[in-house]
């Protein structure tokens, strides 16, 4: 799977666990040296990062004799380096979203064409409910490749009577992922000749195939192991909640419009519907960053209805010192480029809030003013630069790294984080009043979203054991 959150070893797992450092080290050098020995002298470059790890993952799985390998494509499908598998047991396409548009195309139909490139002749494939046109493209790709394609029934169709299936992953969008996982798992188990898979269920007439673009796969009675599997699933950085005393962190690596919409629905249900604390105030904070060719203005607009008191923007670097953790270093992005993007996000957020105030006359007249944190060019300390005084519903701040952003939000109230240093930042009304509010609030609810790399960096700092 990709990307990793904290350590690169997360990408290659056996029985759900990242391979050990010793195994990673052993197979990395084995593959590296073999490639070095056999490379074409005319074209002497090594495979790029993702391609190298893909080759290495296949080698690990073969050498360790795994029974079943679940391989997630990197980007797209058709031209992705994982697509060298000629005869997989089964293929699955989850809910489509607009992402990586510079590579995959700027419409759902173009993206569906790329995803359908993993279909193989005679190999069954499953997908979940999609908009009509992209689903039509998937059907056409399946027909081209002589691949039987089926639509997964809703998870409700697997539930017996009134007993709802319990999912280990929160969020309504995980139900379609669970339905897809069930079909993929059953297909594999059938291929292995496993008995007692649960007989197929009679589908109600409303779900018959009349007029359907893609035939509906039948639901089936789930085995106890399947029910337990859905219940016990854990996947870090997706609809994850960390309760650290008065500070609760809500982490979700959503980075497309559809996934941010799902994230907002989850966050509002998980955090905003909870009763306000009886003994004091609640402060809501957004911690956001986005990378690549994503339309950050569109993503931020979807987050405005959550009514955050503060919006904090920072790059995905855990520390200003880029030598802190090589696993989380992106050598294609400089700190200056990343900070410039954060400043653009700050301006976008400010503008969105001003527009909202203009649209909603019932909103109280804002009293607070936003602040901006930038590294001073001559020294490594933080410099708070006040923007032009404009009415804001919520101060927006930029920090040069995740560690400083998290420390400011937590204000010493999260036992896993050190308190922010008193020196190193010039006092400014927004930051100092915010610090008081954050220190005194009975509950601080923080949504970290926009990038899986941002979430990974936050997890590294909030759950130090993940770095071991």
């Amino acid at each position: 799977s990709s990307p990793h959150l904290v350590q690169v070893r997360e990408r290659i797992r056996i029985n759900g666990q990242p391979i050990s450092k010793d195994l990673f080290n052993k197979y990395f050098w084995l593959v590296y040296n073999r490639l070095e020995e056999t490379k074409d002298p005319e074209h002497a470059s090594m495979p790029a990062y993702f391609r190298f790890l893909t080759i290495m993952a296949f080698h690990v799985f073969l050498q360790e004799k795994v029974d079943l390998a679940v391989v997630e494509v990197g980007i797209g499908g058709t031209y992705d380096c994982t697509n060298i598998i000629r005869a997989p047991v089964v293929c699955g396409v989850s809910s489509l979203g607009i992402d990586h548009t510079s590579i995959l195309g700027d419409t759902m139909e173009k993206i569906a064409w790329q995803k359908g490139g993993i279909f193989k002749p005679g190999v069954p494939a499953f997908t979940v409910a999609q908009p009509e046109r992209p689903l039509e493209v998937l059907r056409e790709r399946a027909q081209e490749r002589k691949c039987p394609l089926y639509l997964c029934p809703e998870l409700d169709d697997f539930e017996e009577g009134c007993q709802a299936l319990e999912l280990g992953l929160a969020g309504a969008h995980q139900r379609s992922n669970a339905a897809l996982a069930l079909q993929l798992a059953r297909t594999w188990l059938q291929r292995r000749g496993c008995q007692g898979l649960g007989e197929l269920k009679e589908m109600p007439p409303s779900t018959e195939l009349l007029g359907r673009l893609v035939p509906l796969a039948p639901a089936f009675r789930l085995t106890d192991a399947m029910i337990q599997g859905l219940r016990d699933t854990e996947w870090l950085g997706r609809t994850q909640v960390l309760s650290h005393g008065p500070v609760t962190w809500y982490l979700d690596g959503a980075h497309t419009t559809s996934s941010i919409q799902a994230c907002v629905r989850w966050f509002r249900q998980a955090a905003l519907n909870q009763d306000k604390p009886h003994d004091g105030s609640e402060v809501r904070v957004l911690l956001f960053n986005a990378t690549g060719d994503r339309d950050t203005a569109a993503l931020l607009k979807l987050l405005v209805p959550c009514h955050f008191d503060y919006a904090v923007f920072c790059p995905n670097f855990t520390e200003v010192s880029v030598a802190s953790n090589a696993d989380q270093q992106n050598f294609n992005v400089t700190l200056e480029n990343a900070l410039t993007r954060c400043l653009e996000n700050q301006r976008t957020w400010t503008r969105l809030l001003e527009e909202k105030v203009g649209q909603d006359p019932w909103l109280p007249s804002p009293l607070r003013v936003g602040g901006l944190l930038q590294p001073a060019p001559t020294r490594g300390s933080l410099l708070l630069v006040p923007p032009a005084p404009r009415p804001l519903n919520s101060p927006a701040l930029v920090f040069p790294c995740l560690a400083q952003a998290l420390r400011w939000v937590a204000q010493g109230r999260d036992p896993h984080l050190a308190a922010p240093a008193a020196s190193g930042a010039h006092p400014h009304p927004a930051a100092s009043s915010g610090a008081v509010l954050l220190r005194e609030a009975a509950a601080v609810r923080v949504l970290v979203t926009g990038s899986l790399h941002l979430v990974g960096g936050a997890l590294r700092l909030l759950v130090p054991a993940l770095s071991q």
Side-chain angles (χ1 to χ4, degrees):
S1 62
S2 63
H4 60 272
L5 292 172
V6 178
Q7 295 192 74
V8 68
R9 296 182 296 109
E10 298 164 27
R11 293 175 183 237
I12 306 173
R13 297 169 179 259
I14 296 178
N15 294 333
Q17 296 304 310
I19 61 172
S20 67
K21 289 181 181 178
D22 288 344
L23 265 191
F24 188 92
N25 189 40
K26 169 186 162 182
Y27 286 121
F28 176 91
W29 288 114
L30 201 153
V31 172
Y32 185 93
N33 292 333
R34 188 74 55 81
L35 290 173
E36 187 70 37
E37 290 160 12
T38 56
K39 69 187 178 189
D40 180 349
E42 298 294 314
H43 307 93
S45 62
M46 276 286 185
Y49 183 80
F50 183 80
R51 290 183 176 194
F52 183 92
L53 288 172
T54 301
I55 296 165
M56 183 176 151
F58 289 149
H59 188 70
V60 170
F61 294 149
L62 288 166
Q63 294 299 309
E64 294 297 313
K65 298 180 172 56
V66 300
D67 303 296
L68 160 68
V70 180
V71 180
E72 181 199 33
V73 302
I75 293 176
T78 299
Y79 304 116
D80 190 76
C81 63
T82 57
N83 201 25
I84 62 169
I85 302 172
R86 293 179 188 174
V89 171
V90 62
C91 295
V93 176
S94 58
S95 185
L96 297 171
I98 296 282
D99 198 16
H100 302 293
T101 51
S102 60
I103 300 170
L104 303 181
D106 54 2
T107 67
M108 291 276 273
E109 289 81 359
K110 289 176 183 174
I111 289 170
W113 188 91
Q114 295 278 2
K115 301 285 184 183
I118 67 169
F119 297 156
K120 301 290 185 288
V123 173
F126 295 89
T127 189
V128 296
Q130 311 279 8
E132 189 173 337
R133 273 296 299 138
L135 186 60
E136 207 171 300
V137 173
L138 288 176
R139 184 195 62 174
E140 288 164 4
R141 292 287 270 161
Q143 286 174 340
E144 276 170 29
R145 290 162 176 266
K146 299 180 172 52
C147 157
L149 176 65
Y150 303 95
L151 197 61
C152 294
E154 299 289 331
L155 198 60
D156 298 9
D157 295 328
F158 292 90
E159 294 176 342
E160 297 286 340
C162 301
Q163 191 176 359
L165 285 168
E166 192 183 329
L167 298 188
L169 299 178
H173 57 293
Q174 296 294 357
R175 292 181 68 80
S176 75
N177 289 336
L180 179 59
L182 288 171
Q183 296 288 354
L184 300 179
R186 189 175 199 274
T187 305
W188 160 254
L189 292 166
Q190 274 182 311
R191 171 69 72 90
R192 291 294 295 263
C194 294
Q195 301 300 311
L197 288 181
E199 66 273 26
L200 300 179
K201 295 169 74 171
E202 290 292 323
M203 299 303 283
S206 60
T207 59
E208 283 177 1
L209 311 184
L210 295 173
R212 280 190 180 275
L213 279 170
V214 175
L216 191 70
F220 50 89
R221 288 189 172 80
L222 304 187
T223 64
D224 290 344
M226 289 173 177
I227 293 167
Q228 183 184 346
L230 293 178
R231 186 177 60 235
D232 294 347
T233 299
E234 291 180 358
W235 200 246
L236 298 183
R238 281 79 168 176
T239 59
Q240 183 181 4
V241 181
L242 295 174
S243 296
H244 290 184
V247 186
T248 307
W249 305 91
Y250 299 84
L251 302 115
D252 191 74
H255 50 271
T256 65
T257 50
S258 53
S259 61
I260 288 281
Q261 284 169 331
C263 172
V264 166
R265 287 193 295 271
W266 161 71
F267 178 69
R268 295 184 82 160
Q269 187 176 3
L272 308 190
N273 287 349
Q274 292 187 1
D275 294 335
K276 284 280 183 97
H278 297 299
D279 54 344
S281 64
E282 172 187 286
V283 176
R284 300 173 197 155
V285 182
L286 170 66
L287 178 55
F288 180 91
N289 191 39
T291 58
D293 52 13
R294 298 182 177 99
D295 181 353
T296 42
L299 302 184
L300 287 169
K301 188 171 185 177
L302 296 169
L303 290 157
V304 170
C306 290
H307 300 297
F308 292 104
D309 299 291
Y310 296 96
V312 175
F313 303 97
C314 71
N316 294 338
F317 302 114
T318 46
E319 307 280 353
V320 177
S321 161
V322 293
S324 60
N325 183 4
D327 276 13
Q328 293 185 307
Q329 184 61 27
N330 183 346
F331 295 99
N332 299 319
V333 179
T334 66
L335 179 59
E336 186 180 2
N337 289 345
L339 270 175
T340 300
R341 184 139 189 191
C342 292
L343 297 173
E344 289 168 2
N345 292 341
Q346 182 200 35
R347 283 192 288 273
T348 300
W349 183 256
T350 302
R351 177 177 51 76
L352 287 168
L353 290 173
E354 287 173 347
E355 287 171 4
K356 185 169 176 59
V357 170
Q359 291 164 4
D360 299 335
W362 51 268
L363 276 175
S365 185
L367 301 173
R368 293 175 237 153
V369 176
L372 162 65
L373 287 167
Q374 282 182 304
T378 51
R379 53 192 195 285
S381 66
L382 282 175
L383 181 63
L384 269 163
V385 184
R390 307 187 230 175
L392 293 181
N393 188 39
S394 147
L397 297 100
V398 172
F399 289 86
C401 70
L402 252 166
Q404 292 182 9
L406 292 180
R407 285 184 197 123
W408 182 81
V409 170
Q411 289 294 320
R413 304 181 72 193
D414 183 329
H416 296 93
L417 292 170
S423 59
H426 298 284
H428 180 270
S432 54
S433 69
V436 172
L437 288 171
L438 289 163
R439 278 196 297 268
E440 293 181 353
V444 179
R445 307 197 191 282
V446 191
L447 175 62
V448 184
T449 193
S451 161
L452 275 166
H453 302 286
L454 178 79
V455 166
L459 277 171
R460 179 173 174 254
L461 295 165
L462 295 169
V463 189
L466 291 175
S467 300
Q468 301 309 311

